[in-house]
Amino acid sequence: MFCPNCGKEIVPGGAYCPRCGCRVGEGEPRSKKRKRVAVGVAIATLLVLVVVFVVTIAPRLFSKPSLEGTWTLSSTGTANGVTLSYPDVTLVVEDGAFSMDIVGTAGGMSLFGLTGSDQVDISATGSCVLEADQGGDLAYSLAFEGVRANEPMLSRLRAQYGMTDAETESFVAQMNDMVSLFNSWSLKLRVPKSGLEKPIGEGEWILEITIPDEGYGSAQGFLSANMLEPSNGEEQGDAVFSMTYRGDNGEQVANDPMVGTWHRVDDSHLVIQYVNLVGGNSVDTTVNVAFTPTKAR
């Protein structure tokens, strides 16, 4: 009897070839089996490493800071012992566009003529185009497409103020007139890349507003919110927050900037607290900001 694998003569009754280890009548050499198992283990290990890289490491290496994602803002204020609830804002930025929902009680602010306990339910859409990558900042151009009052709000206006359909349509038209005014201006948003990384928040956020010359001279202003790390370098604890408005000459317009603190709750959530002057009253304001990026970082 001869080995079917290597041809060596095998003693009758032998189960395996003494030269290559092949089982008589079937199978393959043990050495080849060992090689096949080793190759299989190596491939499996490589696949595991690839999966780990794609899921955990690659996004950190190749993703770039971006404004794209879902932003949520909820605010409250306290003045003279009275708590004011402001509308919640949900902003979604993706593929060069944005959609925004403003829902809640107007609180102490005036929004399209609504104040106090009036219920706000407004949606807006527009474009949010990245124009330039300026080193540590990203510069976006903003433009509104339109604003609408959602049906729950219109129903409340009819019930609470007795508005007719024609009056609610006029109300919506007034909102869009304001949007058209905004779009006649140039709105630029400059955001720090460091503020878009996890954890979010750090850096100076600037809204640049340029009003064209319409016979009265052009104007330009900058609304900036600056969030600084604690001077002691500690990761925990409150950092400094300030918000100012500067005119076209770069000088601060407001006599006193709004100053407060900001605190990281976790990688995607921060809390800003500051004192705001509204109608001569000091309003202790708290803003919760959360950001969920479109793509994992």
Side-chain angles (χ1 to χ4, degrees):
M1 182 173 60
F2 295 90
C3 174
N5 183 65
C6 66
K8 180 169 178 64
E9 186 176 1
I10 302 174
V11 177
Y16 297 93
C17 173
R19 174 186 290 175
C20 67
C22 178
R23 184 176 179 84
V24 176
E26 61 177 338
E28 61 182 351
R30 290 182 180 177
S31 57
K32 289 188 177 182
K33 286 187 177 181
R34 293 193 195 100
K35 289 180 180 179
R36 178 173 293 182
V37 170
V39 170
V41 170
I43 292 176
T45 302
L46 180 61
L47 288 176
V48 170
L49 291 176
V50 168
V51 170
V52 170
F53 179 80
V54 169
V55 173
T56 63
I57 301 175
R60 298 177 183 273
L61 293 178
F62 301 116
S63 67
K64 296 181 179 179
S66 171
L67 193 67
E68 292 198 350
T70 300
W71 297 81
T72 59
L73 292 85
S74 60
S75 308
T76 58
T78 304
N80 300 322
V82 178
T83 299
L84 307 172
S85 296
Y86 301 112
D88 293 334
V89 178
T90 302
L91 175 67
V92 179
V93 182
E94 191 169 9
D95 295 331
F98 74 83
S99 61
M100 179 169 56
D101 294 307
I102 304 174
V103 181
T105 306
M109 71 177 183
S110 176
L111 188 63
F112 300 116
L114 302 176
T115 58
S117 61
D118 288 326
Q119 296 294 312
V120 178
D121 191 341
I122 298 173
S123 298
T125 56
S127 60
C128 180
V129 180
L130 177 63
E131 286 194 339
D133 187 334
Q134 302 172 332
D137 294 333
L138 298 173
Y140 289 86
S141 176
L142 305 176
F144 286 86
E145 293 176 354
V147 174
R148 72 174 187 273
N150 296 319
E151 186 56 39
M153 179 177 174
L154 296 177
S155 297
R156 189 174 181 87
L157 292 177
R158 296 186 192 105
Q160 186 169 344
Y161 297 105
M163 283 189 179
T164 64
D165 288 343
E167 288 171 329
T168 57
E169 288 176 5
S170 175
F171 176 81
V172 174
Q174 290 176 22
M175 291 195 301
N176 282 284
D177 285 344
M178 184 174 293
V179 167
S180 297
L181 177 63
F182 287 157
N183 285 340
S184 71
W185 304 347
S186 171
L187 300 178
K188 308 286 185 182
L189 178 64
R190 192 159 76 241
V191 297
K193 290 181 181 179
S194 58
L196 295 170
E197 298 282 8
K198 287 189 175 183
I200 65 170
E202 178 185 346
E204 185 175 21
W205 302 66
I206 300 175
L207 178 64
E208 178 181 328
I209 306 168
T210 304
I211 303 175
D213 189 346
E214 297 178 344
Y216 303 98
S218 61
Q220 188 176 48
F222 304 87
L223 178 65
S224 63
N226 201 342
M227 291 182 280
L228 307 175
E229 289 288 355
S231 58
N232 58 14
E234 294 181 2
E235 293 185 3
Q236 300 299 322
D238 294 336
V240 178
F241 164 80
S242 64
M243 185 160 56
T244 58
Y245 181 79
R246 292 178 285 122
D248 53 2
N249 58 2
E251 294 182 357
Q252 181 178 313
V253 175
N255 292 328
D256 298 307
M258 288 182 283
V259 178
T261 60
W262 66 280
H263 177 75
R264 290 186 180 120
V265 177
D266 53 43
D267 281 352
S268 60
H269 178 199
L270 59 90
V271 176
I272 301 171
Q273 294 179 305
Y274 61 94
V275 177
N276 188 16
L277 295 177
V278 179
N281 295 319
S282 295
V283 181
D284 294 320
T285 306
T286 299
V287 183
N288 287 275
V289 182
F291 174 47
T292 304
T294 300
K295 299 176 181 179
R297 304 242 169 91

